[in-house]
Amino acid sequence: AAPPVPADVPERTATLRTAEMVLTFTNRGAGLTGAELQGEKGRRQGGEQAEQVDLAAGLQPGDPRLFEVALAGNLGSLGACEQVAADEKQVRYRCSGDRVQVEKVFSLTGEQSLALELTVRNTGAQPVEGSIDLLVPARVDPGRQRTPGCGSLLSAPPQPTQVICRYGDDVTRAMYDADERSITPEGAASFAGIEERYFLAVAAPVRQPATSSCRLETPTPEFYLSHLITPVGNVPAGGAVTLQYALVLGSKDMNVLESVSEQVVAAGGAADPHLEETVDLGFWAAIGRILFVVMGLFHALIPNWGVAIILLTLFVKILTFPLAWKSMKSMEAMRALAPEIEKLKAKYGDDREKLNLEMMKLYQQAKVNPLGGCLPMLIQMPIWLALYTVLQTSVVLYNEPFISGWINDLTSRDPYYILPLAMGVTMFITQKMQPMQVEPAQQKMMLYFMPAFFTFIMLNLPAGLTLYIFTNNVLSIVQQLALRKSMGVPVVGKVPASASTVTVEPARGKKSRK
């Protein structure tokens, strides 16, 4: 809890401003009572009427403030804090205790970063020993913590608040769990704090007398608290120990996170905190980073992230063209084998094992891979999943428009559902153009079910992902038309006589049949 303040000590606030944030400090706990983000990147999703993000919003009088400290061991307890000085770049506090005095200096180091210097001074006659607990609290809206509706495929993903800590080479995140309300990871902590999908407030130790640790607490569904704990060792009477922290508040800009991490290393005495790991790309991290770099290159040429996604789709399509060519040849070869397959079904229809064996022989003799037509889809699915993750984690694309007045945020759904419907239509066309490789009834189901299903699940997913799939479908149609023309295959209609027969080498190699 915030330290008690005598009635005759009025609250004093101080403000530090940058282009990216407005920070309000208070002498009640010598921490932040407001951390409002600025600009489009600091706005909630929902257009110009959406509110700006405040990372300290909702904190109540009895809650600790952002980056307040608590004492442990025999350091005693803190009383009131006094604002010593404040200007445009720095705020100083002095907090008096029964055994120690704590001095805190907050200094701006960047548009989204601060340095915190914290000095523990022994004012008693006896040595003291203990630890400093740097607190990062958050008041949580339970309604934003879980996916509404029927699940993540049918509704917009949640934007939960979590407590986070990196220790060793691992990162732990936690939300409210009635069975596990406190987590204490084992190992040296390199940063700890709170985060949302696109925003964070974290602290990283810079030069400390001992290794820091962390504890993550979710005591109620509405209140979370992250602890960054640093032992100060034995402080003799009249002695002092100084701790230093790098603080980051605001959007999860990879450039900012990597820059602050480099500053921590350059300051000496601390390993790289890897603050960029707060951007969780999950299982598809490797592909996601490549996609992000490629899109960044296209965005440098044409500063529109929607156009960058279209160019990324074209780039991937060019890279996968050889596979598409092989896939097309495989599908046409399968279609040419259709009469032979029908004969085998008529002959061995009651013996599935024998039928499968004979069909495999037929494929081998004709040198046809029945799964060859699946290669493009197998390549595209990881890219779709990785792009979805990038859209859900990269603040660079957050609140970025494609066409103003229509798609104002590529990480949100299309408000008019134009892209999902267009994507469904183009998917139907691509399915219609596919050579028939399965039973007519199954082919018909795939023709209508798949486009309808994908349209349905894309209604509330990011417009950027739908734009990628739509563009991919359009390019697939053009590509398929070109390949069919080069192979002399009609676009629609019945299979020509030249394609309805296939030369198959007999098993003994003596005769051939048409």
Side-chain angles (χ1 to χ4, degrees):
V5 178
D8 60 344
V9 178
E11 181 177 16
R12 292 187 63 188
T13 61
T15 302
L16 297 181
R17 297 176 181 271
T18 72
E20 302 292 334
M21 58 186 179
V22 177
L23 306 178
T24 304
F25 296 82
T26 176
N27 60 327
R28 305 285 176 92
L32 282 81
T33 188
E36 184 177 286
L37 309 186
Q38 303 298 295
E40 289 299 319
K41 296 299 183 184
R43 194 190 304 275
R44 295 284 183 199
Q45 289 178 324
E48 295 182 357
Q49 303 303 316
E51 63 181 2
Q52 298 296 135
V53 175
D54 187 344
L55 296 170
L59 291 177
Q60 300 175 0
D63 297 338
R65 302 305 175 185
L66 278 178
F67 306 120
E68 184 178 324
V69 298
L71 306 180
N74 69 345
L75 298 181
S77 59
L78 285 179
C81 295
E82 171 191 4
Q83 181 179 305
V84 177
D87 57 32
E88 295 180 351
K89 297 292 185 181
Q90 193 176 86
V91 181
R92 290 174 171 268
Y93 291 101
R94 182 184 299 119
C95 303
S96 300
D98 53 356
R99 297 182 181 180
V100 298
Q101 182 183 80
V102 175
E103 297 174 1
K104 299 175 70 175
V105 182
F106 294 93
S107 305
L108 286 175
T109 57
E111 295 294 332
Q112 293 184 210
S113 59
L114 294 164
L116 170 59
E117 184 176 274
L118 193 153
T119 301
V120 181
R121 196 176 305 280
N122 185 352
T123 57
Q126 300 294 327
V128 293
E129 187 173 1
S131 59
I132 293 293
D133 189 352
L134 188 62
L135 307 175
V136 190
R139 279 284 164 182
V140 175
D141 178 4
R144 297 179 61 248
Q145 295 296 95
R146 302 294 180 186
T147 303
C150 302
S152 60
L153 289 179
L154 308 181
S155 55
Q159 297 190 27
T161 301
Q162 302 179 100
V163 281
I164 182 172
C165 172
R166 185 179 189 273
Y167 56 99
D169 294 326
D170 298 318
V171 175
T172 289
R173 295 171 167 86
M175 296 168 59
Y176 175 74
D177 185 341
D179 297 326
E180 191 175 21
R181 303 188 188 188
S182 179
I183 300 173
T184 304
E186 296 183 1
S190 51
F191 67 76
I194 60 170
E195 67 159 6
E196 295 182 17
R197 185 189 302 164
Y198 299 108
F199 310 105
L200 82 168
V202 297
V206 180
R207 283 197 295 263
Q208 312 295 47
T211 301
S212 299
S213 61
C214 63
R215 185 169 73 253
L216 306 178
E217 293 184 346
T218 54
T220 73
E222 294 82 21
F223 182 69
Y224 292 1
L225 184 60
S226 178
H227 303 254
L228 185 58
I229 305 165
T230 306
V232 297
N234 187 286
V235 185
V241 173
T242 298
L243 310 180
Q244 294 184 350
Y245 302 90
L247 313 180
V248 183
L249 302 98
S251 61
K252 293 182 181 179
D253 187 312
M254 290 288 284
N255 292 329
V256 171
L257 298 173
E258 292 175 351
S259 175
V260 175
S261 294
E262 291 172 0
Q263 292 172 20
V264 171
V265 175
D272 189 342
H274 292 286
L275 290 166
E276 68 277 3
E277 292 186 11
T278 56
V279 181
D280 184 14
L281 293 175
F283 182 78
W284 304 104
I287 298 176
R289 290 191 182 97
I290 294 173
L291 295 180
F292 185 78
V293 170
V294 173
M295 281 194 295
L297 295 175
F298 290 135
H299 184 265
L301 297 175
I302 304 177
N304 181 300
W305 285 105
V307 175
I309 290 175
I310 293 174
L311 294 176
L312 171 69
T313 315
L314 178 61
F315 176 73
V316 172
K317 208 67 179 175
I318 293 173
L319 288 182
T320 58
F321 180 80
L323 289 177
W325 174 263
K326 291 182 179 180
S327 173
M328 185 71 180
K329 291 179 63 177
S330 177
M331 287 189 292
E332 292 302 331
M334 285 291 295
R335 183 166 67 170
L337 284 177
E340 297 294 328
I341 293 175
E342 289 301 319
K343 292 178 182 179
L344 292 177
K345 289 180 179 180
K347 185 175 182 179
Y348 304 107
D350 296 333
D351 189 344
R352 299 296 300 179
E353 184 176 350
K354 182 65 174 178
L355 174 62
N356 291 333
L357 182 62
E358 292 298 322
M359 287 177 62
M360 289 304 300
K361 287 182 180 179
L362 180 65
Y363 294 148
Q364 291 174 0
Q365 292 165 0
K367 298 181 179 180
V368 172
N369 181 3
L371 299 179
C374 301
L375 285 176
M377 180 63 73
L378 293 177
I379 293 295
Q380 289 290 348
M381 283 304 293
I383 296 176
W384 291 358
L385 294 172
L387 181 60
Y388 173 77
T389 304
V390 169
L391 289 166
Q392 293 305 300
T393 55
S394 174
V395 76
V396 171
L397 295 166
Y398 177 72
N399 276 344
E400 285 291 334
F402 172 40
I403 299 176
S404 296
W406 172 28
I407 297 176
N408 297 313
D409 181 5
L410 287 162
T411 65
S412 296
R413 66 177 177 84
D414 179 348
Y416 305 109
Y417 305 113
I418 296 173
L419 268 180
L421 293 176
M423 186 273 301
V425 171
T426 54
M427 182 168 284
F428 174 83
I429 295 173
T430 56
Q431 290 287 329
K432 186 76 172 176
M433 294 176 66
Q434 296 290 338
M436 185 180 297
Q437 298 187 43
V438 295
E439 296 290 343
Q442 295 176 356
Q443 182 80 1
K444 188 174 182 179
M445 184 189 73
M446 294 292 290
L447 177 63
Y448 294 101
F449 174 76
M450 289 299 292
F453 176 73
F454 266 84
T455 301
F456 184 60
I457 67 174
M458 296 303 296
L459 291 177
N460 288 305
L461 292 186
L465 178 63
T466 313
L467 177 63
Y468 179 91
I469 299 177
F470 166 74
T471 307
N472 180 71
N473 289 344
V474 172
L475 293 175
S476 294
I477 292 171
V478 174
Q479 178 179 269
Q480 202 156 4
L481 289 173
L483 289 175
R484 282 175 175 271
K485 183 177 180 180
S486 67
M487 296 173 67
V489 178
V491 176
V492 293
K494 295 183 180 180
V495 180
S498 60
S500 61
T501 60
V502 60
T503 301
V504 180
E505 294 295 333
R508 296 182 181 180
K510 293 181 179 180
K511 297 180 180 180
S512 63
R513 57 187 174 88
K514 292 272 189 173

